[in-house]
Amino acid sequence: MTTRFLDPEGGNDANDGLSFANRKRTISSAVAGLVAGDDVRVIASRDAQSIGSATWTDNSTSVTIPSGLVVLIDDCNSGFTVSTNVTGTNSTTRKNGSTAQQLAIASGFTTGKVAFKALGAPLDLTGFRHLSVWMTSDNAYPAGALELRLCSDSSGDTAVATMVLDSTNFAPISGSTNWTIRWQDFGSDLPSGINSIAIWAVSDPRTVTIRINNLIAAKAST
């Protein structure tokens, strides 16, 4: 009998899934090749944590959580300065707001700073430890190729916190609206003095178009 382990948050489909340390991420990968009598063991959900009283209006698609738990870093609707061989546009294919920032990376681009945006005033993220951003892509790109960086300078060059933007779970279709959240728990407070955000390619992402929307920081789940 084969037993595979599944963790939708911390797993990786490149693993064999045969131990918890090498757990899978998606159900389709975990069940591939299994036969009757085999098991898939799914990691338990975290214990529920109260965040206080949220507000929801009947028939609304939004829930307003208590103030102070999240902070908007940038809505990522527009305003990014792009590098050579990158085209930046305001895409109406968006998750929220009127537009999303679209970055089309051409084949002539290899590695380095893809684009950046100055925030206009220093942002203090002390007390916050999670980063979250909506993202979609029209194609897959190599794992670990793209990063979102919070920077202490205004030109997106001096990173003080970095989140990997992998293309896992993106549907490779043109004009994709398959938005997914990229999220990271840094385990401790994020820094103060954030003056810009930037997208960097640490390896060649090849020809790909990405869109980002609604970058926020959140407090610990507890």
Side-chain angles (χ1 to χ4, degrees), residues 39-88:
D39 288 336
V40 175
R41 297 186 181 182
V42 182
I43 190 172
S45 300
R46 297 176 180 176
D47 290 340
Q49 299 286 342
S50 174
I51 63 170
S53 298
T55 303
W56 175 72
T57 302
D58 193 19
N59 294 323
S60 170
T61 59
S62 300
V63 175
T64 302
I65 67 173
S67 62
L69 296 182
V70 300
V71 60
L72 177 67
I73 299 174
D74 190 72
D75 53 21
C76 299
N77 294 146
S78 61
F80 278 69
T81 299
V82 299
S83 298
T84 303
N85 292 316
V86 178
T87 302

Side-chain angles (χ1 to χ4, degrees), residues 2-196:
T2 299
T3 299
R4 289 210 183 122
F5 294 81
L6 173 64
D7 179 355
E9 185 175 285
N12 188 326
D13 283 343
N15 295 334
D16 60 19
L18 298 178
S19 67
F20 182 76
N22 293 308
R23 54 200 183 274
K24 294 281 191 180
R25 178 169 181 166
T26 63
I27 292 176
S28 59
S29 179
V31 301
L34 295 186
V35 298
D38 291 341
D39 288 336
V40 175
R41 297 186 181 182
V42 182
I43 190 172
S45 300
R46 297 176 180 176
D47 290 340
Q49 299 286 342
S50 174
I51 63 170
S53 298
T55 303
W56 175 72
T57 302
D58 193 19
N59 294 323
S60 170
T61 59
S62 300
V63 175
T64 302
I65 67 173
S67 62
L69 296 182
V70 300
V71 60
L72 177 67
I73 299 174
D74 190 72
D75 53 21
C76 299
N77 294 146
S78 61
F80 278 69
T81 299
V82 299
S83 298
T84 303
N85 292 316
V86 178
T87 302
T89 54
N90 304 336
S91 174
T92 55
T93 301
R94 80 278 187 194
K95 184 60 183 177
N96 72 304
S98 58
T99 59
Q101 179 64 60
Q102 178 171 294
L103 301 170
I105 303 173
S107 59
F109 186 90
T110 53
T111 61
K113 183 169 57 177
V114 176
F116 76 95
K117 182 176 182 179
L119 298 179
L123 181 63
D124 184 356
L125 295 180
T126 304
F128 297 86
R129 73 179 225 179
H130 296 171
L131 286 181
S132 172
V133 67
W134 284 102
M135 186 178 176
T136 189
S137 169
D138 68 352
N139 206 352
Y141 50 85
L146 295 179
E147 295 179 346
L148 186 148
R149 300 180 181 181
L150 304 183
C151 301
S152 59
D153 63 325
S154 59
S155 58
D157 293 311
T158 307
V160 290
T162 297
M163 177 169 65
V164 176
L165 298 177
D166 275 344
S167 60
T168 305
N169 298 331
F170 288 145
I173 53 178
S174 179
S176 171
T177 55
N178 187 30
W179 289 92
T180 57
I181 286 180
R182 287 295 168 264
W183 170 90
Q184 184 169 328
D185 181 352
F186 286 80
S188 60
D189 282 6
L190 290 163
S192 60
I194 307 300
N195 285 288
S196 65

